[in-house]
Amino acid sequence: MIAQQTIQQILSRTDIIEVVGGFVRLKKRGANYLGLCPFHNEKTPSFTVSPAKEIYKCFGCGRSGNTISFLMEHEKYSYADALRWLAAKYNVEIEETEVSPELRQKQQVADSLHIINGFAQKYFSHILWEHEEGQDIGLSYLRERGFGDEIIRKFQLGYALDSRDAFSKAALAAQYNPEYLQRCGLAVLREDRLVDNYRGRIIFPVHNQSGKVIGFGARIIKSNDRAPKYINTPENELYVKSRILYGSWHARQAIDKQDECLLVEGYTDVVSLHQAGIENVVASGGTSLTIDQLRLIRKYTNRLTIIYDGDSAGIKAALRGLDMALEESLDVKLVLIPDKEDPDSYVRKLGASAFRDFIAANKKDFILFQLEVSLRDAGGDSNKKAAVVNQVAETISRINKAQDFTRQQDYIRQCAELLRIDEGGLHALVNKFIREGLGRRENREASASGGQFATGMGVSEAGGLASDHASRASDSAGFAAGAPSAEEEDSISLLFRHEQNERGMIRSLLEFGLKPWNEDKLVADYILEQARDYYEMIDNKRLLRILETYKEWYEEGIEPSTKSFLYHEDQELSTLAVSIMDFRHQLSLNWKDHYEGKIATAEDLYKEDVLSTMSYLKLRKIKRLMDENQKDLDQPHSDAEQLMLIQTHMHLKNMEMELLQHVGTVIVK
Ligand code: ZN
């Protein structure tokens, strides 16, 4: 690992204008620089770089980040590679930290497995092209299926001889470690002898994000065999199934350029579509999509199109992970391939351009498609229809990031139309699921690290609306009555306002934390002190992570700066920090130029800014206490109790009034 000291040194010398300017022609415009966005096609520049904040943002496509994420995104570097590139550019000598013995051991194993996989890939390709059996059986099979030599070489396909130990012998002769050969899934031990795991099979190497072979899929040729159709590499240091999308190495640039990722089931579908010139395609390998796979797709695009053939069990499995996709802000479309066809056969039948037209013309929205299917299944059964309503509301409730607000509203409108129910009622039900989902989701996210999420559309897991609407009107939040309460209508916009307040607090902390608050305190002291009482009020657990990380550093005597977070190795934290430190504040600084300093700048107003954001949190807490008190008031009470509750209400109301004065001083961000 690169030493923290080196990283600091690199970052202190890095000039974002110089680095980004090396790839994009930038022109100075006020405090910022402007250029044509390298991530999407545009004629008028909307790609903005701020030298002061050391971030960039495109107002056309929305991409944003820091110098390192620019290099990672534009040049496809890893975090460490981006640092190395900068170190070379700015003549910083890299110091590597001591690695723990366990980590070094793990790296050595991974290195060995990489070397063995590389050897195996070359061996199997050699057999396919040069060996008689490889040519007669393997190559002729591939050619019969319509694969040309060029595509076979591009995907490094190979052939494993139908032999007991041809590969194992070759590997042992080349001095490869028998234990690692087994760990790679290339050989197995039978009666103390190493024998081949793949026999008489076509070999599909699986590549990682930097193009190295991390495993294999071995497909059977003789269809009358009782053996499994595919044998895949077992999980090991390199091959982690939940993080792999077959073809992602070959598809990455096409996905980026076309801003869309096609998902199919099998290896041959990927290779076949590639050969037809459709290169933005990956395969799920027939399992439920995992959060890691979805995030891999999101690195390149947020448009996912699933090509689905009716009988494909694998794609059905992939569909089960899809509500996670909605939470990841992916826009998911489905295309159904006609009966008895799969993507491989269908692209051969139609040809590339007709296939592409077919995809474009038959794309269905994932949510609307599921709704149509469920409604058809429900028929005239009102019980089933009620379950469908619940199911669709639950699904829509997962699209609730601030940037997805319009999409969510569109879905509510379209689904209400399809269901022939009142839009306001559906809206209220969605809000109910959002409230219930917030806690659940954050918990799940905290425990999620590459696990599978086959939670499915969960038809009835959420319970709720039964057939006898009237009797359950109270907990289905006005749905049965057909009109949402004012509170329900408000709750989405309120959720977003809360999120803004929370972000505002973190922004104040990052931006002003090290400035004086009063004679003996810094702003950070004040915010951290105050925030302690309001942790439970912070809904966004990732923001809470920034707060806690800041606190940890601060207490250790490290002075956390905006930079520490912008360049945090954890991409999730860094992305969040970038989105918090956006350009809105900078814009207000431009007022200074206009009014020659007559107007206070955001810089001067920082104390009020801090006070205002903290007041919001307090207001929320008071509001919550008032709500609880009000609920209590609605119950029958003795006169004395009643009086006490009213006094509590008055007290809270006074606190609220006082706080509102602070909040009013600074424009809501
Ligand atoms: Zn752009």
Side-chain angles (χ1 to χ4, degrees), residues 36-42 46-47 57-63:
L36 288 173
C37 178
F39 302 115
H40 82 283
N41 278 326
E42 61 176 9
S46 48
F47 181 79
K57 184 179 173 90
C58 172
F59 290 94
C61 66
R63 297 228 192 179

Side-chain angles (χ1 to χ4, degrees), residues 34-326:
L34 206 61
L36 288 173
C37 178
F39 302 115
H40 82 283
N41 278 326
E42 61 176 9
K43 293 210 171 66
T44 34
S46 48
F47 181 79
T48 315
V49 187
S50 160
K53 293 192 185 280
E54 299 186 33
I55 55 179
Y56 64 86
K57 184 179 173 90
C58 172
F59 290 94
C61 66
R63 297 228 192 179
S64 63
N66 57 52
T67 314
I68 290 184
S69 56
F70 181 86
L71 290 170
M72 289 170 71
E73 196 142 4
H74 195 265
E75 295 299 288
K76 311 292 183 208
Y77 288 155
S78 69
Y79 180 78
D81 286 346
L83 281 173
R84 292 208 169 86
W85 186 91
L86 287 170
K89 182 178 173 72
Y90 291 104
N91 294 318
V92 177
E93 202 177 313
I94 291 187
E95 240 181 82
E96 306 264 349
T97 49
E98 278 291 316
V99 188
S100 71
E102 299 88 42
L103 191 63
R104 181 172 303 140
Q105 164 75 13
K106 225 178 152 185
Q107 277 172 352
Q108 278 166 353
V109 172
D111 286 347
S112 306
L113 300 191
H114 266 309
I115 293 169
I116 290 177
N117 283 330
F119 167 78
Q121 181 270 309
K122 286 196 187 76
Y123 171 87
F124 293 130
S125 285
H126 179 81
I127 297 287
L128 180 80
W129 293 104
E130 309 295 341
H131 194 283
E132 206 186 321
E133 183 188 329
Q135 293 170 344
D136 289 353
I137 297 178
L139 200 55
S140 67
Y141 167 83
L142 287 170
R143 284 181 177 151
E144 250 165 57
R145 293 207 54 163
F147 294 125
D149 289 5
E150 202 183 321
I151 204 73
I152 295 174
R153 290 196 194 276
K154 183 172 179 188
F155 280 85
Q156 303 183 321
L157 306 186
Y159 177 74
L161 292 170
D162 194 5
S163 135
R164 183 174 158 83
D165 57 4
F167 170 77
S168 298
K169 269 188 185 153
L172 289 174
Q175 308 282 318
Y176 288 108
N177 178 326
E179 194 196 311
Y180 290 165
L181 286 167
Q182 293 173 66
R183 209 188 284 227
C184 284
L186 292 160
V188 285
L189 215 51
R190 290 275 180 276
E191 290 146 16
D192 284 342
R193 272 190 60 202
L194 218 51
V195 298
D196 294 359
N197 196 24
Y198 311 139
R199 299 177 191 180
R201 285 172 180 263
I202 297 290
I203 304 291
F204 292 83
V206 178
H207 300 87
N208 70 3
Q209 293 315 299
S210 46
K212 280 188 182 168
V213 176
I214 52 172
F216 301 92
R219 189 190 198 284
I220 204 156
I221 294 183
K222 296 177 217 150
S223 52
N224 57 349
D225 245 313
R226 268 174 302 163
K229 193 171 168 192
Y230 278 97
I231 302 177
N232 290 300
T233 299
E235 298 265 321
N236 61 30
E237 280 77 359
L238 304 178
Y239 194 89
V240 183
K241 204 170 158 196
S242 65
R243 296 197 191 135
I244 295 170
L245 283 169
Y246 178 74
S248 60
W249 164 247
H250 292 101
R252 54 199 306 163
Q253 273 150 358
I255 294 173
D256 208 10
K257 210 174 278 164
Q258 284 162 49
D259 192 16
E260 180 180 29
C261 176
L262 306 180
L263 181 82
V264 293
E265 182 183 359
Y267 300 131
T268 48
D269 295 325
V270 169
V271 178
S272 195
L273 287 174
H274 252 269
Q275 179 164 264
I278 298 164
E279 298 189 342
N280 54 331
V281 58
V282 299
S284 62
T287 54
S288 305
L289 281 170
T290 66
I291 188 84
D292 285 327
Q293 290 172 323
L294 291 168
R295 285 185 178 155
L296 190 61
I297 294 170
R298 271 226 57 185
K299 269 170 106 173
Y300 304 110
T301 182
N302 53 15
R303 300 202 320 198
L304 173 64
T305 300
I306 297 176
I307 305 181
Y308 182 105
D309 80 69
D311 342 297
S312 148
I315 291 287
K316 269 181 202 148
L319 285 180
R320 282 202 298 273
L322 277 184
D323 40 2
M324 296 297 299
L326 300 175

